[in-house]
Amino acid sequence: MNFANIAEMFRVLESTEARLEMTSIISNFLKTVPKNELRDVIYIIQGKLHPDFYQIEFGMADKLVLKTISLTSGVPYEIVENLWIKIGDPGEVAEKLIKEKKQITLFSEALSIARVVKNLKLIETCEGKESQILKTKYLASMLHDSGPVEAKYLCRIVSGKMRTGASIMTILDAITITFATKEERAEIERAFNITCDSGLIAETLARSGMRGIHAIHVKVGNPIKVMLAERLSSLSEIIDKMDGTCAIEYKYDGIRAQVHIGKNYVRIFSRRLEDLTNNFPDITKSLTNQFKGEEVIIEGECVAVNSETGQIQSFQEIVRRRRKYNITETVKDIPVKIFIFDMLYLNGTDLTSEPYPERRKLIEKWFNITGIIQISCMKIVHSMEEADKFFNNAIKERCEGIIAKSIGNESVYRAGSRGFLWIKYKKDYCGNFVDSFDLVVVGAFYGMGKRAGKYGALLMASYDSESGRYGTVCKLGTGFDDSFLDNMPSILNKYKSNEKPHLLDTKITPDIWFQPGIILEVVGAEVTISPNHAAGMNIIKEGSGIGIRFPRFTGRIRYDKEPEQSTTVSEMIQMYNVQFTNNSPST
Ligand code: AMP
């Protein structure tokens, strides 16, 4: 198959924002893809060569791509760069200049997908002094044989800016309607949630149908989408929801780690599927030494501790462990512990369908719990009073709150889903601020006065899991300290966009747009009905969305969360309704 076919599909895809239409465009295309190329095609649709949990990047900054465009088109670099400053997207620059150059190119050979994959692999594996030159050479060879549309998407892929607007859920929808039935969507999604590999799912379905999907199991090396907790605003509601009895665990304020241990293999994945193995060599070593079996997948929270007292330290301490460089020093400076709270796989057996009490027992049985390897503090409670006492202890021990966990037969590990089998309750819920929200930055406004030359406020959005789109909920301008104000442009730079993100609904236009990527924790006084914001439009009131009153940044950048894991529109509506029953709503 030729790359021109996929590029043409991208062009059509970009012309719509409707999820159903996107699904059918992708599905019609997938029907034409040979089985042996399907896996690569699924990754390329997402601008990659591998599933998400491979941390390999093409390493081509915009300027290197511009240099290559200049070389292939014969247009002087300064002109290419000026065009880029105007347009902002190296892909569109390539499209424009290659269109002009094509009129004079005599010899070119059709660019196949196989050749694109081969060259992209060469680009991602280039290392050393010559790497920039080699990357340019491999990209130039593809651009030489590209039409304008192919060139546009090739340049977007290598510069990490491949944004067709199709989310992974839309791609899974398309895979489902191409190779299975809508009724089988849930089973297909489960297979995806336990492998995090959309290419594998598509190829399995195309080759062996649902039989193949049923044969997919949890495996060491394939991260599992994490299970998430719902929230309720009081302990009594939680106990009621759990039918009077449940387990409650300390909610540690740290970094979630999913650890995969196999024969000669150990990897730590974040909840965003990043590889954190190098950041926690101490945890990796102790877990491997203190595990008594052959293969296991566990989850736990890594927290920083005081080296003398062993007391849990704030979240700000543990995030310093996420550094890429000088890890050895950071490991010495910031001692940590992991509190294991779940086991998902053990010695060949998938435990995700076992009830919580069974999984919990296995943690104690198969790990030597001592030193930096700990198990989360847990108690089975039968009343609100017991829960309250445990919650107060959790706060005294410097935890964020508690997580209640169902202990019934249905208490399986639901990969990738948020439900009431786990319910969180944080100390923020007790103060003046009703709640904390994890919101996505989608825009910025230039500052004035003391903030001149910096960003003065940010436009924040939440994710609507039903529509797969983002909607704005507030402008955020408080809670920024000097260092955050100084660092904001560099933190957000990677997500800068010349146009409104494809998947964003908004009535407000900021000075700068950002693609969804960075999540900030925000507290607010109230969830309100807002005519200015687009999240949850028309759900509570015709013509209005929902917003947050008096939003304030808590200082926590949630690098561990993906944009789809931000506080969802339905969670916010639920919070609004809880307020409505507790107080009178403000509009
Ligand atoms: P939140 O980030 O507010 O959605 O809360 C869910 C997070 O709490 C999980 O992703 C874990 O990182 C963290 N957590 C801390 N302690 C526990 C625990 N005992 N069980 C489950 N999750 C926990």
Side-chain angles (χ1 to χ4, degrees):
M1 181 174 238
N2 283 335
F3 187 72
N5 301 82
I6 197 167
E8 179 54 23
M9 188 273 287
F10 287 148
R11 195 188 60 76
V12 182
L13 197 60
E14 264 197 285
S15 65
T16 178
E17 291 198 345
R19 182 163 168 185
L20 278 179
E21 212 175 312
M22 285 185 181
T23 309
S24 99
I25 293 167
I26 301 174
S27 170
N28 287 337
F29 173 71
L30 292 182
K31 285 180 194 147
T32 67
V33 179
K35 281 187 190 139
N36 64 335
E37 294 194 304
L38 193 57
R39 204 169 170 143
D40 286 331
V41 162
I42 292 288
Y43 300 139
I44 289 177
I45 293 177
Q46 296 164 77
K48 299 179 179 141
L49 283 181
H50 310 278
D52 275 350
F53 56 90
Y54 276 66
Q55 298 284 294
I56 313 169
E57 289 187 354
F58 297 111
M60 290 192 80
D62 282 8
K63 297 228 166 145
L64 191 59
V65 176
L66 298 180
K67 253 186 218 157
T68 320
I69 298 172
S70 159
L71 275 175
T72 4
S73 62
V75 177
Y77 180 79
E78 293 69 40
I79 298 182
V80 179
E81 194 181 22
N82 282 337
L83 197 58
W84 171 73
I85 292 168
K86 237 196 262 159
I87 308 181
D89 168 19
E92 274 183 48
V93 173
E95 181 181 29
K96 190 169 166 15
L97 295 179
I98 301 274
K99 202 183 269 169
E100 287 160 16
K101 168 220 149 189
K102 274 288 131 177
Q103 288 145 10
I104 50 159
T105 302
L106 293 179
F107 303 106
S108 70
E109 183 192 317
L111 187 63
S112 67
I113 289 194
R115 194 174 136 209
V116 168
V117 170
K118 189 173 147 230
N119 274 35
L120 289 178
K121 279 196 176 137
L122 289 169
I123 291 178
E124 71 177 11
T125 48
C126 277
E127 270 179 15
K129 267 201 281 182
E130 303 280 284
S131 70
Q132 304 292 76
I133 298 168
L134 288 172
K135 282 176 202 267
T136 311
K137 181 179 133 194
Y138 299 131
L139 176 59
S141 117
M142 291 191 283
L143 291 183
H144 178 267
D145 292 335
S146 294
V149 184
E150 294 153 272
K152 170 177 179 176
Y153 293 106
L154 278 175
C155 289
R156 284 201 181 160
I157 291 174
V158 293
S159 60
K161 294 196 166 66
M162 184 61 196
R163 291 156 191 152
T164 54
S167 69
I168 183 62
M169 285 302 136
T170 308
I171 294 170
L172 283 183
D173 285 347
I175 293 173
T176 306
I177 63 166
T178 315
F179 303 109
T181 64
K182 279 191 184 139
E183 290 67 44
E184 287 158 333
R185 174 67 164 77
E187 288 168 87
I188 293 169
E189 192 169 331
R190 171 170 154 85
F192 172 70
N193 285 340
I194 60 171
T195 56
C196 293
D197 189 343
S198 47
L200 170 76
I201 303 300
E203 190 179 62
T204 306
L205 267 174
R207 290 191 190 280
S208 18
M210 287 305 287
R211 199 172 32 87
I213 291 294
H214 295 142
I216 291 179
H217 292 295
V218 166
K219 208 172 94 193
V220 167
N222 271 85
I224 300 164
K225 285 247 164 196
V226 297
M227 177 167 173
L228 298 165
E230 271 289 353
R231 64 170 99 197
L232 284 174
S233 55
S234 73
L235 285 170
S236 63
E237 276 177 283
I238 294 177
I239 300 292
D240 280 354
K241 187 84 185 170
M242 292 287 188
D243 290 332
T245 176
C246 61
I248 44 177
E249 296 187 10
Y250 282 5
K251 185 179 191 305
Y252 299 92
D253 197 5
I255 295 177
R256 186 171 186 157
Q258 189 179 90
V259 191
H260 291 230
I261 301 177
K263 288 173 205 137
N264 306 319
Y265 179 92
V266 57
R267 280 270 172 292
I268 301 187
F269 295 105
S270 75
R271 64 189 269 178
R272 229 179 146 145
L273 308 185
E274 296 150 306
D275 190 339
L276 297 181
T277 318
N278 292 335
N279 301 75
F280 295 102
D282 38 3
I283 288 195
T284 321
K285 189 167 161 224
S286 300
L287 273 177
T288 327
N289 290 341
Q290 291 169 221
F291 172 54
K292 302 171 197 166
E294 295 231 308
E295 284 190 323
V296 74
I297 303 175
I298 53 114
E299 277 194 341
E301 193 82 354
C302 299
V303 293
V305 291
N306 180 298
S307 56
E308 276 152 33
T309 61
Q311 201 177 39
I312 291 175
Q313 302 295 292
S314 72
F315 177 76
Q316 270 68 22
E317 285 297 300
I318 189 82
V319 282
R320 290 170 52 210
R321 272 286 187 109
R322 291 181 63 94
R323 272 201 206 149
K324 284 204 176 133
Y325 310 103
N326 300 332
I327 296 290
T328 325
E329 280 164 35
T330 326
V331 168
K332 264 195 244 144
D333 283 358
I334 308 159
V336 293
K337 279 187 181 168
I338 181 166
F339 289 88
I340 305 176
F341 57 74
D342 220 317
M343 187 183 279
L344 314 183
Y345 172 91
L346 176 70
N347 302 333
T349 307
D350 177 350
L351 300 175
T352 55
S353 303
E354 293 294 319
Y356 163 85
E358 296 307 314
R359 305 200 304 276
R360 172 94 194 176
K361 263 188 238 154
L362 293 171
I363 303 175
E364 285 166 6
K365 180 166 169 202
W366 287 89
F367 279 91
N368 189 8
I369 303 288
T370 176
I372 72 169
I373 308 304
Q374 295 295 320
I375 184 164
S376 58
C377 182
M378 185 275 282
K379 185 176 166 59
I380 306 284
V381 296
H382 309 278
S383 68
M384 142 80 187
E385 289 68 33
E386 277 181 290
D388 195 45
K389 200 162 157 208
F390 190 84
F391 173 77
N392 287 326
N393 285 342
I395 302 300
K396 258 189 236 139
E397 304 258 354
R398 301 194 170 193
C399 292
E400 233 190 331
I402 52 107
I403 298 215
K405 296 187 177 176
S406 162
I407 51 175
N409 286 338
E410 76 299 344
S411 59
V412 296
Y413 185 94
R414 287 242 168 85
S417 89
R418 189 187 290 285
F420 283 101
L421 288 175
W422 288 7
I423 309 174
K424 59 185 173 183
Y425 181 71
K426 300 202 226 176
K427 63 172 179 290
D428 309 332
Y429 304 179
C430 319
N432 289 334
F433 290 101
V434 281
D435 225 327
S436 70
F437 311 84
D438 294 319
L439 302 176
V440 188
V441 183
V442 290
F445 303 86
Y446 293 124
M448 290 191 285
K450 257 170 76 184
R451 291 189 185 171
K454 299 177 184 173
Y455 297 156
L458 298 172
L459 185 62
M460 309 299 292
S462 95
Y463 179 65
D464 187 339
S465 46
E466 310 263 299
S467 65
R469 300 180 62 78
Y470 295 85
T472 63
V473 287
C474 65
K475 254 170 97 172
L476 178 67
T478 39
F480 302 158
D481 62 18
D482 287 348
S483 117
F484 183 73
L485 281 169
D486 289 344
N487 292 326
M488 230 189 300
S490 65
I491 293 169
L492 289 163
N493 192 36
K494 188 171 156 201
Y495 301 96
K496 223 171 179 178
S497 167
N498 261 43
E499 49 191 39
K500 179 183 83 64
H502 224 55
L503 288 174
L504 177 71
D505 294 321
T506 179
K507 292 183 174 180
I508 298 173
T509 304
D511 296 320
I512 301 170
W513 292 111
F514 297 109
Q515 294 292 339
I518 291 287
I519 298 196
L520 305 183
E521 189 184 70
V522 172
V523 286
E526 206 176 13
V527 178
T528 61
I529 292 176
S530 165
N532 301 325
H533 289 291
M537 183 53 70
N538 300 332
I539 296 182
I540 301 176
K541 189 176 165 196
E542 199 56 36
S544 288
I546 43 171
I548 297 172
R549 224 150 68 89
F550 303 136
R552 180 168 60 75
F553 178 44
T554 63
R556 290 176 63 164
I557 306 176
R558 298 297 310 249
Y559 286 116
D560 57 325
K561 286 197 169 185
E562 290 181 79
E564 286 97 353
Q565 292 169 347
S566 61
T567 305
T568 58
V569 171
S570 63
E571 279 181 275
M572 299 219 354
I573 288 178
Q574 205 189 324
M575 287 180 218
Y576 175 83
N577 289 334
V578 169
Q579 287 166 202
F580 188 63
T581 46
N582 293 346
N583 320 290
S584 60
S586 85
T587 49

